[in-house]
Amino acid sequence: MGRKVTVATCALNQWALDFEGNLQRILKSIEIAKHKGARYRLGPELEICGYGCWDHYYESDTLLHSLQVLAALLESPVTQDIICDVGMPVMHRNVRYNCRVIFLNRKILLIRPKMALANEGNYRELRWFTPWSRSRQTEEYFLPRMIQDLTKQETVPFGDAVLSTRDTCIGSEVCEELWTPHSPHVDMGLDGVEIFTNASGSHHVLRKAHARVDLVTMATTKNGGIYLLANQKGCDGDRLYYDGCALIAMNGSIFAQGSQFSLDDVASRVSPYPRVKADFALSCHEDLLEPLSEPIEWKYHSPAEEISLGPACWLWDFLRRSQQAGFFLPLSGGVDSGATACVVYSMCHQVCEAVKRGSQEVLDDVRTIVNQTSYTPQDPRELCGRILTTCYMASENSSRETCNRARDLAQQIGSHHIGLNIDPAVKAVVGIFSLVTGKSPAFAAHGGSSRENLALQNVQARVRMVIAYLFAQLSLWSRGAPGRLLVLGSANVDESLLGYLTKYDCSSADINPIGGISKTDLRAFVQLCMERFQLPALQSILAAPATAELEPLTHGQVSQTDEEDMGVTYAELSVYGRLRKISKMGPYSMFCKLLYVWKDVCTPRQVADKVKRFFSKYSTNRHKMTTLTPAYHAESYSPDDNRFDLRPFLYNARWPWQFRCIEAQVLQLESRQHQDLDGVD
């Protein structure tokens, strides 16, 4: 007869260095696990201190407070009679490790250090931790006195071992180890391990859920057994959003799926693994009538749905944890700022849904934000009116159409909308320059040079940023309400990549929910919002050509479009972005690749011109990435200079050597083409 075991995994909304809150969330998850009959509880990676501590891992305080939380967990009656598997940093022989600490009834059974550290993209684990390199070996770890006093143990096993209970065998992987070519679960399975656990700190990227689910199901398809994955959930203080997706798989099928986005906080040839014995069973004798879990089908979100959920949850965490009263958004009537408004509106929808489902935690947070203890949100439009202020900042170069589109969208989502004109401020700033120099710059349309034209555009853009921050600080004050607003930016990932934005204009904000999303995906998201939330104003926003409206109108009509200005289409920008970052290509290798990809639509000369134009503009504007507003990380070709895409910001933008290599190839191809044509004659 088979044994029936109940195991629990979880997704916790931990917050870096919030030891008090993290402890309470861990205890709550253990309570829920026990209530559901679980005998083993797995939590996310580094859950005690929060994954995103970054250089705080260097501080002895972080290690000390993590030990104090561990002591509180060991001491708590909540952790009795259940094997608890928690994540924290541990210093062993003066070396810092990213560890799992597994304990039962006030006794630490095993400390399992991570063996493969995540060190690419947004991850820098090798900066703070050392990987455990002694496969299938353990050492004695001397417990600190505060832990010894509780456990009455002097030393515990530290290293690569598995846990042997009366009825099964449990082995740990930590996050990145699942993604390595030879994952530990392969050899563990061959050595008789039946339950595999993985504690993750895995962030959301559009279209990533499939890869994660496939890896877990594949792990149990090969060896059989049960695989539990726990993950952090929410924004723990920076650009990343950890997207939950806790799951349990068995023999190649998914048996339990946690939500990806939510507002709630919780006979082998291998050498044998050392076994740590635990006098404890995960099954019970009287389990004949216990119901068995049935496999389920994993529910995937489309990229547009992911955008409506991930960035919205990230904004909610940011709003409640920063203790601000709402958001201020410059609304231009275009797709990008319209999409940002839709993310806020989607957030309001999720908040109302969570309150309707009875989430007291979300209700308490909303009441704190709106400063009203009796308030209960029911209508997303009404809630949006309380926490989102939108503002259309017109100039003499603005068209009536964009003004109407911004006003209509604001009215449909219910935001508090302001319309104002920035011309007096722009004239005053330009007037100071004219007064000092005796020169009056003019737009190109009025006979000015390209330098004058660009400077006059930039003045308008930067004045808007100054006004945005003034209104964010004092808008609620003027209405007799307490608090201030967070300024939202709305530059997309493609514009940032090319530097098609003014440094310190409205792209400069407190946070940017769409800064890691491509124009193509944003348009799909706006289309989804139009249909799902019945927002007809979005139809005209989608239909209109993208424009900055910084140059004079021609007969009242927009004469400037983004793609014309950039000399590149948004579709091409996505291609360049992916090749530059994901495929790791410089100008020459990108040219060689696109020569083949675009062979049916472009001549070699045209491909060369396009690649050169992109790299010239990208490198000239790379300095703008150093001041880019912190944005939700959603796209693997993000140019975020802060942590993800580390590059110089002063280039030789002429790329003489690289472009010469391209030119040589073009000439060779053109001469070969001429020879072929001569042969045809």
Side-chain angles (χ1 to χ4, degrees), residues 266-500:
V266 143
S268 75
R269 288 168 296 141
V270 297
S271 51
Y273 279 81
R275 276 168 160 70
V276 175
K277 291 190 172 64
D279 186 18
F280 189 73
L282 299 194
S283 57
C284 58
H285 298 300
E286 311 299 323
D287 66 359
L288 196 60
L289 298 176
E290 288 290 315
L292 287 169
S293 301
E294 294 296 325
I296 61 169
E297 194 174 329
W298 187 272
K299 296 177 186 71
Y300 290 105
H301 296 294
S302 70
E305 288 170 330
E306 288 186 86
I307 295 167
S308 77
L309 298 167
C313 292
W314 183 75
L315 277 186
W316 177 246
D317 276 353
F318 225 100
L319 181 59
R320 67 195 182 92
R321 286 176 167 170
S322 64
Q323 299 181 313
Q324 301 303 303
F327 300 112
F328 182 91
L329 172 64
L331 195 61
S332 69
V335 167
D336 294 339
S337 62
T340 304
C342 287
V343 171
V344 178
Y345 189 59
S346 175
M347 182 197 83
C348 293
H349 257 269
Q350 290 180 69
V351 168
C352 291
E353 286 298 312
V355 170
K356 225 174 271 177
R357 286 194 307 270
S359 173
Q360 188 60 44
E361 187 183 358
V362 174
L363 182 59
D364 290 344
D365 284 334
V366 178
R367 287 173 170 172
T368 302
I369 289 162
V370 302
N371 196 43
Q372 197 176 322
T373 52
S374 59
Y375 176 66
T376 301
Q378 289 168 325
D379 174 25
R381 282 189 79 251
E382 187 273 337
L383 176 59
C384 195
R386 287 173 179 259
I387 62 176
L388 176 62
T389 298
T390 51
C391 181
Y392 182 81
M393 304 188 200
S395 77
E396 61 186 7
N397 303 321
S398 304
S399 66
R400 175 49 47 195
E401 288 77 18
T402 51
C403 177
N404 291 343
R405 290 199 291 267
R407 187 200 58 223
D408 293 347
L409 178 60
Q411 188 266 323
Q412 287 169 24
I413 63 173
S415 65
H416 178 85
H417 190 61
I418 299 165
L420 55 82
N421 192 296
I422 65 168
D423 286 336
V426 173
K427 285 186 171 68
V429 173
V430 175
I432 294 170
F433 179 83
S434 299
L435 193 67
V436 172
T437 63
K439 298 269 191 181
S440 293
F443 283 105
H446 303 149
S449 66
S450 59
R451 276 194 295 176
E452 294 167 66
N453 196 57
L454 189 58
L456 289 174
Q457 290 183 65
N458 287 345
V459 169
Q460 296 166 76
R462 290 183 176 124
V463 161
R464 287 190 171 115
M465 187 270 287
V466 173
I467 290 171
Y469 271 94
L470 177 64
F471 273 79
Q473 286 182 294
L474 295 181
S475 178
L476 292 179
W477 167 78
S478 71
R479 290 181 253 162
R484 55 149 286 181
L485 306 172
L486 286 165
V487 179
L488 295 181
S490 51
N492 64 60
V493 74
D494 298 323
E495 289 170 347
S496 299
L497 175 66
L498 199 68
Y500 184 65

Side-chain angles (χ1 to χ4, degrees), residues 77-110:
V78 173
T79 62
Q80 296 304 293
D81 301 322
I82 183 169
I83 295 175
C84 296
D85 185 336
V86 298
M88 62 182 274
V90 175
M91 186 81 87
H92 174 55
R93 296 186 174 176
N94 273 346
V95 178
R96 201 181 300 101
Y97 295 95
N98 173 350
C99 293
R100 305 304 302 166
V101 178
I102 304 169
F103 62 90
L104 168 69
N105 294 339
R106 285 197 177 201
K107 298 285 180 198
I108 293 174
L109 303 172
L110 170 67

